Each structure stands twice: as C-alpha cells, then as structure tokens.
Amino acid sequence: MIWAAVLAGSLGTYLLKLVGYLLPASVLEHASVRRVAGLLPVALLAALVAVQTFASGQALVIDARLAGVLVAIGALLLRAPFLVVVLAAAASAALLRAAGVAA
Amino acid sequence: MADALSPGLAAGQGRRITRDALGIGIATGAYALSFGAISVAIGLDPLQTQALSLLMFTGASQFALVGVLGAGGGLVAAVLTAWLLGARNGLYALSLAPVLRPRGLAKVTTAQFTIDETTAMALAHPDPPAAARAAFWRTGLAIYVLWNIGTLVGALGAAAIADPAMLGLDAAIPAGFIALLWPRLVDRTMWAVAIAGAVVALALTPLLRPGLPVLAAGLVALAASWLLGRRE
C-alpha cells in the first residue's frame, strides 16, 4: 500500500516537472499562475508545521514537539544550517522527555 | 582558458559554479540524512524511502508524503499533498525552458532535475547560456548523488534504532518543514498566507481525517491569490 503512494506520488511530481517544458512559455504571462505557484508551498508548509507540531490523530495537544519547534525557530534566527535546525529540535524534545518534563 | 567540461565557459566561472554546486549538494545531503531517518521512523522501509529520493527527488514533497502517512492521513491525502507541493517545479520548468532549451528526449532528463536549488543556480548564471546549463547540471548531479547517499545513511541509521520517538524524531518533522518554509517568508503577504494556512489546518484537525486539514490549507493559497488579483 505504501508502495502505491510512493509510486503514484513520484509519477505525479515528475509529470508536473515535465509539463513545464512542454507548455508554451506564454503560460508564465498569467499572473495568477505565478501567484498560486508561489503561495501554495507557503500555505501547505505552514499547515504541515502546525499539524505536525500540535496534532495527535484528530486531537490537538501540546507536548515536547512544541519545544522542539521553538528551538528550531531559534536556530533559524541564528542562521543555523538545516541539519543543525533539525537535530536541535529532535535533541531538545528528547531531553525534555528524558527529564520527564514533557510527554 | 576554457572550462574542462563545458568549452563555452571560462575556467574561472566553471570552477566557481562547481564549488557552489558541491556546497549546495553537501547541504541538501545533510537534509537527506534527516529525511531518511524520519521516513523509516514513520514506518516506510529503507527501500521505499530510497525509492522516494531516487524517483520523486523533490524534498518538500517527499517530506510531506511521509509526514501525512505518518500522521495517519491515508494514501490519497499523502499523494495529493506531495503533488500540490511539487506543482511549483512545473513553474520552474517554464522559467528554465528558454534558458536551458532542452530538445526532444533531453526534456525528459532535464525535468527530473528541475527543483528549487537547480533553478536558483541556473537563473543566477544566465550568461553565457553554457554557464546556466553548467550551473543547472552540476548542481543537479551533486544534489542527486548526495541526496541519495544521505537518504540511504539516514534510513539505515534509523532502522538500527529501537525507539525513534525517544530521540525526538517526531519533533524533527515539523522542524524540517519550518526550515523549508523559513526562506519563503519574504514579505507580509507570505507571512499572512502562512499564518492563515496554519490556523485553517489546526481548526479543521478535530473535524476532518488526518491529512485533509493540510490539503484544505491549500485553498488558502487559492483564496489569497484571488484576493491579490482583485487588488491589482
């Protein structure tokens, strides 16, 4: 079942890449096309951040993940590279759990 | 003196492009390490994880697919979210087509390497055309190789760990998304869309199946685009 998602997801994202080379360049002249393509990743990534931080199934909870995300924001403000941001988030969540402070 | 690989290019510019391409490749390889680990922690096996890096080869979509699956969002929502996030690559291809001018079968290979970083590198070196092509291909190949090595190491590493939750890998997932989001928050409009997307997704979380609230946030982008279009 997971293979179906892996293959269908990969095929679709590939075709989206390819279609840009097959369409006439005049598509870019539509301001709405450019706008939506720029705004979609922002809305989706922000939603993914929110859901992956607070959702547990269909419930909203505050747990060690929030601390991890706040640490990640701090690391981004300090211009830390990607791996440092992710590791800092994981390490702070793990520490809070090990200390019994957060679930 | 001309560049060894690309005769239409001066040696100095060729060297700078190669150096930058390697730097970007190493940075994304480090990101792939966390992708591989998170994907296996969520429940994909290392082979499925590797297939995503080899075939999908666009980080945000890969991350979203495993993230939605891990949250119990189901196959359809996971695939749709990956597609929507991948739509921007089609726009990149439109911008790159007149610069790279791939013909015939070259379009098929060029397409797979059309991602954030290769687009930025190619468009940053518009002159001469050989420089744009060198920037695109050297960045693309450096990322492809290091992205897949990073994925393999991360996936095998996580497969060896007993309890990924204790390591805080569930906190690494939103941290990864926020690191992808961060450079896009360039003005008030982007901040407003981001906040609206997050609020909509959270508000719908108790009401909809996991995975659907994120897709609903995609409607925020459509609404914002329509509002901006009316203002112009």
Side-chain angles (χ1 to χ4, degrees):
Chain A
M1 284 298 271
I2 289 178
W3 273 113
V6 168
L7 296 176
S10 299
L11 182 66
T13 49
Y14 174 73
L15 291 176
L16 283 163
K17 291 170 175 173
L18 184 64
V19 79
Y21 291 103
L22 304 177
L23 287 175
S26 58
V27 175
L28 267 186
E29 286 159 22
H30 293 283
S32 56
V33 173
R34 278 204 308 269
R35 257 198 321 264
V36 170
L39 294 175
L40 254 186
V42 172
L44 291 173
L45 288 170
L48 283 163
V49 171
V51 167
Q52 301 281 351
T53 304
F54 294 108
S56 177
Q58 286 187 244
L60 295 177
V61 296
I62 288 181
D63 59 22
R65 291 176 296 175
L66 178 59
V69 169
L70 292 176
V71 168
I73 292 174
L76 285 166
L77 287 170
L78 295 171
R79 299 177 182 279
F82 190 94
L83 193 63
V84 173
V85 172
V86 173
L87 283 179
S92 47
L95 278 176
L96 284 178
R97 283 187 185 128
V101 180
Chain B
M1 214 177 76
D3 181 78
L5 295 170
S6 179
L9 193 60
Q13 190 177 16
R15 265 199 307 275
R16 277 194 302 278
I17 287 173
T18 303
R19 193 191 56 208
D20 289 353
L22 279 175
I24 295 170
I26 290 166
T28 54
Y31 172 25
L33 217 57
S34 50
F35 166 72
I38 285 167
S39 176
V40 167
I42 277 173
L44 277 75
D45 64 37
L47 196 61
Q48 291 161 337
T49 303
Q50 198 69 48
L52 280 175
S53 283
L54 287 167
L55 301 174
M56 188 173 278
F57 188 56
T58 177
S61 294
Q62 292 180 221
F63 228 116
L65 187 104
V66 301
V68 174
L69 283 177
L75 298 178
V76 174
V79 168
L80 282 177
T81 309
W83 285 355
L84 283 179
L85 271 168
R88 71 188 190 291
N89 291 327
L91 194 82
Y92 294 159
L94 271 171
S95 326
L96 285 173
V99 181
L100 302 174
R101 299 180 194 216
R103 304 224 167 272
L105 273 182
K107 289 178 180 175
V108 174
T109 46
T110 306
Q112 178 66 340
F113 292 91
T114 302
I115 53 175
D116 291 323
E117 295 85 354
T118 52
T119 305
M121 275 287 279
L123 296 180
H125 298 86
D127 192 52
R133 274 193 290 275
F136 178 87
W137 282 108
R138 289 174 198 184
T139 308
L141 290 173
I143 293 177
Y144 195 79
V145 170
L146 291 164
W147 180 253
N148 275 288
I149 292 174
T151 301
L152 181 68
V153 173
L156 295 180
I161 297 168
D163 183 7
M166 274 319 280
L167 290 179
L169 277 176
D170 55 340
I173 302 172
F177 283 124
I178 209 162
L180 287 170
L181 172 65
W182 202 254
R184 297 176 197 276
L185 297 174
V186 290
D187 58 27
R188 269 191 211 172
T189 304
M190 293 302 183
W191 272 100
V193 169
I195 291 168
V199 168
V200 165
L202 287 181
L204 293 175
T205 293
L207 306 175
L208 301 178
R209 279 190 56 195
L212 296 179
V214 171
L215 285 175
L219 298 176
V220 170
L222 294 181
S225 171
W226 181 74
L227 281 173
L228 287 168
R230 268 172 42 124
R231 208 191 287 170
E232 271 167 17

